[in-house]
Amino acid sequence: MSVFASPRFLPNVMWADAASCAATGALQVAFTDALAALTGLPAALLMGTGVFLLVYAAAAAFMASRRTPPRMLIGLVIAGNFGWAVACIALLVSGMFTITALGVAWVLAQVICVVVLAELQWTGLRRTRHNANMAMA
């Protein structure tokens, strides 16, 4: 059986999303001032997005723990992940802040992570739709 066809694929991707957001959020909240100095990103932005990521991680973990992942919520997560990537790129190209090379790397790592997760979530969502249609036939 393909990894993508596994009924646990989508929940596992949601667990990965929850873990990555919890780790990033915790780092941003715990080390706000140090990260601000190293990245050139404003402390308020790091703290605010860090708290958001911790709350989001809890929501993603809730979705991952469901026997049947909530399709509509996961669709919103996918849109949100792509939105996060667009916002990160906009932040980098806006020139609003003097972001260091480490700051650019920090933001681009988030872009790459959320785009990969969104693609995997989209794949999992399509698979669950396909599997539900097959079960009805």
Side-chain angles (χ1 to χ4, degrees):
M1 173 191 305
S2 165
V3 166
F4 299 109
S6 167
R8 295 297 313 151
F9 178 74
L10 185 55
N12 288 342
V13 173
M14 291 306 297
W15 280 120
D17 198 357
S20 69
C21 287
T24 303
L27 282 171
Q28 288 185 195
V29 169
F31 301 105
T32 303
D33 292 333
L35 279 172
L38 291 169
T39 62
L41 294 166
L45 177 65
L46 289 166
M47 177 60 78
T49 56
V51 169
F52 171 81
L53 288 170
L54 291 172
V55 171
Y56 171 82
F62 171 79
M63 287 180 247
S65 70
R66 303 296 90 195
R67 182 176 174 95
T68 303
R71 293 180 54 78
M72 183 179 288
L73 289 178
I74 297 203
L76 290 172
V77 164
I78 293 166
N81 277 340
F82 282 124
W84 189 275
V86 168
C88 285
I89 297 295
L91 174 74
L92 292 177
V93 300
S94 73
M96 288 175 49
F97 309 109
T98 306
I99 302 173
T100 66
L102 184 60
V104 171
W106 181 260
V107 174
L108 288 178
Q110 290 186 39
V111 169
I112 292 165
C113 185
V114 298
V115 167
V116 167
L117 285 167
E119 285 293 331
L120 291 171
Q121 289 158 342
W122 179 244
T123 298
L125 202 56
R126 285 193 327 258
R127 289 287 183 183
T128 60
R129 180 176 50 229
H130 175 72
N131 291 345
N133 290 342
M134 296 296 286
M136 291 179 155

